[in-house]
C-alpha cells in the first residue's frame, strides 16, 4: 500500500513538472511570436524578402562553416570539463549530452535547460557534473559581459554626452566586472564563498557535492576554460558580422560593436523561445546606431538563430528521442 502511495506521488509530481514545462514553453513561444510579428510588420515583409533575395550566398556559406568551428569549441569545452571527473567518457556520451543540452536550453528561459546535459553522462554524481555545467555558463558569461558592457557603454557615451550620468555607469561596470574576474581567475575564492554561503542555505549536502566540483577545478583549468569561451565568442561574433555582410557592406569595428551589444542585451532579457524576437529587436536597434539597415540587422540576426540555435536543437532532439527509446526515461541514472 505504501509503495503504491509513493508511486502515485511520484507520478503526480512528474505530471505537474511536465505540465509546468509545457506551459512555460507555450508562454515563451507566444512571446517570441508576438515580438516577431510586431517587428516584421514594422520592417515590412516585402522589404525583408527583397533583402533575402539579393543576399550574398557566399557569406551564408562562410557563416555555416564557422558554425562547425563554433560547435567544435563547445564540444571541446564540455569534453575538457567532463574528463576532469570521467577521463574515460565516450564520444557518444559527450555528443549526446552536448546536443541534448542545446535542445533543452532552447525551450527554457535563459537556456537553463542546458544543464540537463548532465543526465546524459553516466556513472558520475550528477550534482558535481552540474557544477561543471555551471562553471561553463559562468566563464562564458564572463567573456560576454566584458565585451557587452564595453560595447553598451560606448553606445551610451556617443549619445548621452553627460559625464555625470556616464561615469557612475562606467564605475559600476568596472567594479562588477573586476569582482567577476577575480572569482573567475581564483576558483579557490569561489569555493570559499560557496562554503560560507552553504551554512545558511537548505539542501546543504547537495550543495557540498556541488562544491566538490572545485576538487577537480583549479587556476589552470580556469584559464583553459576562459580561453575556450573567448574563442567561442570570437567565432560567434564573426558569424554575426559576416551575416550582415551578406546584405550590405558594414565597417568592421562598428559592426562588431553592434553585434556584441546585441548578444549582451538578449542574454539579459531571456523571455522568449530561443531568444527569438528579442535578439532581432536588439539587433535592429544597435545596428541602426551604426547606420545599418533594419532589414540587414533583422535578417542577419534571424540567420544566426537558424544556424546556431535551431539546427543544433533539432540534432539534439534526435539524441533525446534515442535516449528515451533506449532507457525509457531521461531521468534514469
Amino acid at each position: 500500500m505504501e509503495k503504491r502511495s509513493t508511486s502515485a506521488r511520484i507520478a503526480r509530481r512528474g505530471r505537474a513538472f511536465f505540465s509546468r514545462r509545457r506551459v512555460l514553453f507555450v508562454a515563451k513561444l507566444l512571446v517570441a511570436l508576438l515580438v516577431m510579428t510586431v517587428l516584421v510588420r514594422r520592417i515590412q515583409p516585402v522589404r525583408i524578402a527583397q533583402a533575402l533575395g539579393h543576399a550574398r550566398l557566399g557569406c551564408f556559406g562562410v557563416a555555416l562553416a564557422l558554425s562547425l568551428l563554433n560547435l567544435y569549441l563547445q564540444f571541446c569545452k564540455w569534453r575538457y570539463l567532463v574528463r576532469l571527473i570521467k577521463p574515460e567518457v565516450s564520444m557518444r556520451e559527450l555528443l549526446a549530452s552536448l546536443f541534448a543540452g542545446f535542445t533543452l536550453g532552447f525551450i527554457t528561459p535563459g537556456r537553463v535547460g542546458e544543464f540537463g546535459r548532465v543526465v546524459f553522462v553516466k556513472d558520475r554524481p550528477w550534482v558535481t557534473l552540474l557544477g561543471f555545467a555551471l562553471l561553463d555558463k559562468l566563464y562564458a558569461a564572463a567573456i560576454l559581459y566584458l565585451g557587452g558592457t564595453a560595447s553598451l557603454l560606448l553606445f551610451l557615451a556617443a549619445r548621452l554626452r553627460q559625464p555625470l550620468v556616464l561615469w557612475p555607469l562606467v564605475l559600476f561596470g568596472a567594479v562588477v566586472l573586476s569582482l567577476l574576474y577575480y572569482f573567475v581567475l581564483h576558483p579557490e575564492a569561489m569555493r570559499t564563498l560557496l562554503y560560507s554561503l552553504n551554512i545558511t542555505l537548505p539542501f546543504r549536502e547537495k550543495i557540498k557535492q556541488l562544491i566538490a566540483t572545485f576538487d577537480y577545478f583549479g587556476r589552470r583549468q580556469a584559464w583553459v576554460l576562459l580561453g575556450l569561451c573567448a574563442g567561442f565568442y570570437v567565432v560567434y561574433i564573426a558569424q554575426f558580422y559576416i551575416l550582415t555582410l551578406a546584405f550590405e557592406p558594414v565597417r568592421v569595428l562598428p559592426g562588431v560593436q553592434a553585434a556584441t551589444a546585441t548578444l549582451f542585451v538578449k542574454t539579459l532579457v531571456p523571455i522568449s523561445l530561443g531568444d527569438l524576437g528579442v535578439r532581432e529587436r536588439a539587433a535592429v536597434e544597435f545596428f541602426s546606431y551604426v547606420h545599418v539597415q533594419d532589414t540587414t540587422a533583422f535578417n542577419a540576426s534571424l540567420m544566426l538563430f537558424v544556424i546556431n540555435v535551431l539546427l543544433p536543437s533539432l540534432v539534439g532532439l534526435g539524441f533525446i528521442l534515442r535516449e528515451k527509446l533506449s532507457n525509457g526515461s531521461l531521468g534514469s541514472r
Side-chain angles (χ1 to χ4, degrees):
M1 194 71 169
E2 187 179 342
K3 282 185 178 178
R4 250 186 254 130
S5 167
T6 304
S7 300
R9 263 200 318 271
I10 292 171
R12 281 196 303 272
R13 287 176 184 173
R15 283 194 297 271
F17 171 76
F18 285 109
S19 177
R20 285 195 298 271
R21 194 167 69 172
R22 281 196 295 271
V23 169
L24 184 60
F25 176 82
V26 171
K28 285 168 63 68
L29 179 60
L30 289 174
V31 169
L33 290 174
L34 178 63
V35 176
M36 285 294 285
T37 300
V38 172
L39 193 55
V40 168
R41 289 186 65 181
R42 174 187 156 186
I43 299 173
Q44 298 174 359
V46 173
R47 294 180 60 231
I48 293 171
Q50 286 175 344
L52 283 170
H54 293 91
R56 299 176 182 88
L57 296 180
C59 291
F60 289 151
V62 173
L64 195 58
L66 284 175
S67 72
L68 298 177
L69 177 57
N70 184 312
L71 288 170
Y72 179 68
L73 286 169
Q74 292 184 81
F75 171 78
C76 287
K77 282 196 298 172
W78 187 232
R79 180 181 62 183
Y80 180 75
L81 290 170
V82 173
R83 281 183 173 176
L84 293 175
I85 190 174
K86 188 179 180 181
E88 75 281 9
V89 64
S90 68
M91 182 75 73
R92 182 183 176 281
E93 267 186 294
L94 288 168
L95 288 173
S97 62
L98 182 68
F99 279 95
F102 293 152
T103 305
L104 296 170
F106 179 72
I107 61 174
T108 51
R111 301 189 65 82
V112 294
E114 282 191 19
F115 297 129
R117 67 174 65 172
V118 303
V119 174
F120 293 82
V121 180
K122 310 299 181 184
D123 306 321
R124 291 297 185 275
W126 70 268
V127 181
T128 306
L129 287 164
L130 178 61
F132 285 127
L134 286 167
L135 286 172
D136 189 1
K137 280 279 189 182
L138 175 64
Y139 281 72
I143 297 295
L144 179 60
Y145 286 11
L146 179 63
T149 301
S151 296
L152 210 53
L153 288 173
L154 286 171
F155 276 120
L156 290 173
R159 278 146 193 85
L160 286 178
R161 303 184 186 280
Q162 296 180 10
L164 291 178
V165 176
L166 186 63
W167 280 110
L169 292 174
V170 172
L171 183 60
F172 177 75
V175 170
V176 171
L177 286 171
S178 297
L179 284 172
L180 176 61
Y181 269 85
Y182 175 78
F183 284 110
V184 159
L185 296 176
H186 298 82
E188 67 279 5
M190 270 196 282
R191 180 178 188 149
T192 302
L193 177 64
L194 288 172
Y195 265 125
S196 301
L197 293 174
N198 190 35
I199 298 171
T200 62
L201 295 174
F203 311 112
R204 293 180 188 176
E205 290 307 313
K206 289 295 182 186
I207 294 174
K208 281 183 181 178
Q209 291 180 46
L210 189 66
I211 296 171
T213 302
F214 291 98
D215 293 342
Y216 309 90
F217 193 86
R219 291 194 189 185
R220 180 177 176 277
Q221 288 75 25
W223 278 104
V224 172
L225 184 56
L226 197 64
L228 289 170
C229 289
F232 164 74
Y233 273 112
V234 166
V235 173
Y236 203 83
I237 291 166
Q239 280 182 292
F240 204 167
Y241 174 70
I242 288 167
L243 285 169
T244 63
L245 293 179
F247 302 98
E248 66 174 286
V250 180
R251 288 182 297 154
V252 176
L253 289 180
V256 167
Q257 183 188 349
T260 306
T262 298
L263 296 177
F264 179 53
V265 168
K266 70 95 180 171
T267 303
L268 295 178
V269 191
I271 59 172
S272 71
L273 193 67
D275 299 317
L276 191 61
V278 176
R279 175 183 42 250
E280 285 68 34
R281 181 67 186 85
V284 169
E285 186 69 24
F286 286 116
F287 276 97
S288 71
Y289 293 150
V290 295
H291 312 295
V292 173
Q293 295 183 63
D294 51 5
T295 52
T296 295
F298 178 86
N299 285 328
S301 179
L302 191 59
M303 290 300 104
L304 191 73
F305 163 77
V306 171
I307 291 171
N308 286 336
V309 179
L310 185 59
L311 293 180
S313 296
L314 290 174
V315 174
L317 184 60
F319 280 107
I320 290 174
L321 293 175
R322 183 176 177 180
E323 184 76 7
K324 276 191 171 182
L325 289 172
S326 59
N327 293 339
S329 170
L330 287 177
S332 59
R333 285 185 63 86

